Each structure stands twice: as structure tokens, then as C-alpha cells.
Amino acid sequence: MADLVFHIGYHKTGTTWLQTGYFAEHPEICFVSDFKAPWNDSFLSYLIGTTVRKFDPSRCREILNARIERYNSTTYKARVVSAERLSGHPFSGGYDSFRIAERINKCFPHARIVCVIRNQVDMISSVYQQLVKEGYLGTCTALFKSNQWKGVAFSKCMYEYDLLIKKYHSLFPKENVLVLLHEQLQEDVKSFLSNLALFIGVDETSFIPSNLNKAVNVGRTAKGIATQRFLNHFRKSELNPFPLIE
């Protein structure tokens, strides 16, 4: 059977670009997760969203294996699950990233893990823009003042990458964990993809994704962000469940 690979994000590190082009198009990769609506993906929902009280590793494996069995082509050399939510979520400070890592290990101890990191200053700026796009009402400064007494909230700790990487190194053999830089993806995309292909065991030379030179999720201007924040007061979203006007 082809190797199972979990690409865990982070958010704003070219994840959408990899999903829409590389993972979805490579002829030797079986892309088994829903990247368009991951919140509706039954496997991801169970792996991430099931409470500790009810989580069953056997059931988790069963859900994914049933999906993998639909793809029985011998041309596949890697089966990939990709979702940035696997590294936590910025709005909740990545509070469950260690728990997700432990669940992946318990259910799929021989899996390979891919993680892409980015300069923290650029990362947080880009994450803030994404949160506004998703309905967040506050300023970037307000994120750093989030209250974590009654519930989870944004936390700079999420961007202490070494902590999550060490966690995966404690769970999996170090050779099964690959850490890549978003900056390399921007500056030398072919080298980035070559390193990725070599790690997951697919052809690194002949395949070129259709979106090779296409930017995804381009940043917005300060004026555009301010306008979006204002409009967010009038639309219902997960980050603003009670808009001024229903």
C-alpha cells in the first residue's frame, strides 16, 4: 500500500496552493481529504472534532480506510491527508494541536508528517487578514489581548514552531517528519516541490502543477481590511455568530 502522509499546515504557508495544484493533480498522489470544505469531511471532523470522551482510534482508522479503499489504483505511491486545521486554528490559539498529533500517531503510527512554517511576523499579519476575511471584527492588536480565562483564544505560543515539531518528533521517527519553509516555496518553488516529492516518495522531476506560477490568497490592502471589518458586522459567520442584522 502507498505511504500515508499527513500535511498539517500551518495556515498561510501555501497550503491552499499545494492542495489545489500539487496534491490534487499529481498522478502518483491519492488525495483523500476534502480541501474545499474540510469542516464537512467526515474523517477530519472525527479526528479533530470528536471529544476525548468519545474518540475511538479504531473508528477513526475505519473511516479513513473505507475512503482509501475507493482508490485502488496501483499508480498511487502516496495517499495524502492535507488540512491546515491539523496544526490547530489561529483563532483558538492552536489549543488542540498536541491532541491532534497524538491522535494521528495512535491511529496511524507509520504515517509521514509534512509541516510548512513561515517567518512569524509575516505569518501573524497574513493570519489576521484571513481571520478578517472569515468574519473577525477586531484589530490585529486586539488579537494579542484575547482573554483565555473562559475559553480558548489567539495565542503567540501557536507560532513557537519548535514546540509542535518536537511533539511530532517524540511521536514519530524523525525521518518521518519533514519541515519545509514557506520562504523556499516563494523563492525556489521547484526546489521546494523536489524536497516534498522526495520525502513522500513520488516522482520529483516530470510533474509540474498547473498553478506553478499562480499566487493563491493574495494579501489585502489596509483599506480593504478596514472595509471588510466594517462589513463583518452585518454578516453571520463562525467568528461573528450574532451580526447586527440577521
Side-chain angles (χ1 to χ4, degrees):
M1 179 180 288
D3 286 342
L4 180 60
V5 179
F6 282 84
H7 169 229
I8 65 172
Y10 280 75
H11 290 76
K12 315 312 296 180
T13 58
T15 301
T16 301
W17 185 90
L18 284 169
Q19 291 168 340
T20 57
Y22 195 76
F23 295 142
E25 295 178 359
H26 199 298
E28 294 179 349
I29 292 177
C30 179
F31 195 10
V32 296
S33 58
D34 182 355
F35 67 92
K36 294 181 179 179
W39 48 87
N40 290 330
D41 185 297
S42 59
F43 169 69
L44 292 173
S45 295
Y46 190 88
L47 176 69
I48 297 168
T50 306
T51 64
V52 175
R53 300 178 186 87
K54 293 186 176 182
F55 185 76
D56 180 358
S58 297
R59 176 57 182 156
C60 189
R61 284 191 292 270
E62 182 181 298
I63 295 172
L64 184 59
N65 288 337
R67 185 175 302 174
I68 288 175
E69 287 176 2
R70 302 175 196 166
Y71 307 94
N72 56 8
S73 173
T74 57
T75 61
Y76 294 132
K77 294 183 179 179
R79 303 182 190 278
V80 174
V81 175
S82 175
E84 49 266 77
R85 180 63 179 84
L86 293 171
S87 60
H89 193 280
F91 194 68
S92 54
Y95 78 98
D96 56 355
S97 59
F98 277 30
R99 184 177 74 188
I100 294 168
E102 291 165 354
R103 288 183 175 184
I104 292 174
N105 175 258
K106 192 160 190 175
C107 298
F108 312 99
H110 303 295
R112 294 175 181 267
I113 309 298
V114 175
C115 176
V116 186
I117 60 176
R118 179 180 185 180
N119 171 287
Q120 285 95 334
V121 175
D122 294 339
M123 169 75 94
I124 292 174
S125 174
S126 186
V127 161
Y128 171 67
Q129 293 183 44
Q130 182 63 35
L131 290 177
V132 170
K133 183 179 178 181
E134 294 177 7
Y136 181 62
L137 301 174
T139 64
C140 189
T141 302
L143 278 178
F144 291 90
K145 297 180 180 179
S146 301
N147 192 330
Q148 293 179 278
W149 179 252
K150 293 184 178 180
V152 294
F154 177 88
S155 171
K156 297 191 295 290
C157 292
M158 182 175 180
Y159 302 107
E160 294 175 352
Y161 305 127
D162 60 310
L163 300 180
L164 186 58
I165 293 167
K166 286 178 181 177
K167 179 64 175 179
Y168 274 98
H169 281 168
S170 73
L171 296 170
F172 295 88
K174 287 189 177 182
E175 61 269 22
N176 279 24
V177 181
L178 176 68
V179 180
L180 294 169
L181 298 179
H182 178 257
E183 287 76 10
Q184 184 189 28
L185 175 60
Q186 292 180 310
E187 297 167 7
D188 189 355
V189 62
K190 291 185 178 179
S191 176
F192 178 96
L193 293 179
S194 178
N195 291 335
L196 176 61
L198 197 61
F199 177 75
I200 65 179
V202 298
D203 181 36
E204 59 180 295
T205 57
S206 62
F207 172 73
I208 299 176
S210 61
N211 64 349
L212 181 64
N213 298 310
K214 181 180 178 182
V216 179
N217 292 334
V218 179
R220 308 180 72 177
T221 64
K223 184 176 181 180
I225 295 171
T227 300
Q228 185 65 67
R229 281 179 51 215
F230 173 76
L231 295 175
N232 286 345
H233 287 86
F234 305 97
R235 71 182 181 105
K236 187 174 183 179
S237 67
E238 189 174 352
L239 302 187
N240 181 29
F242 307 110
L244 293 177
I245 300 175
E246 280 286 354

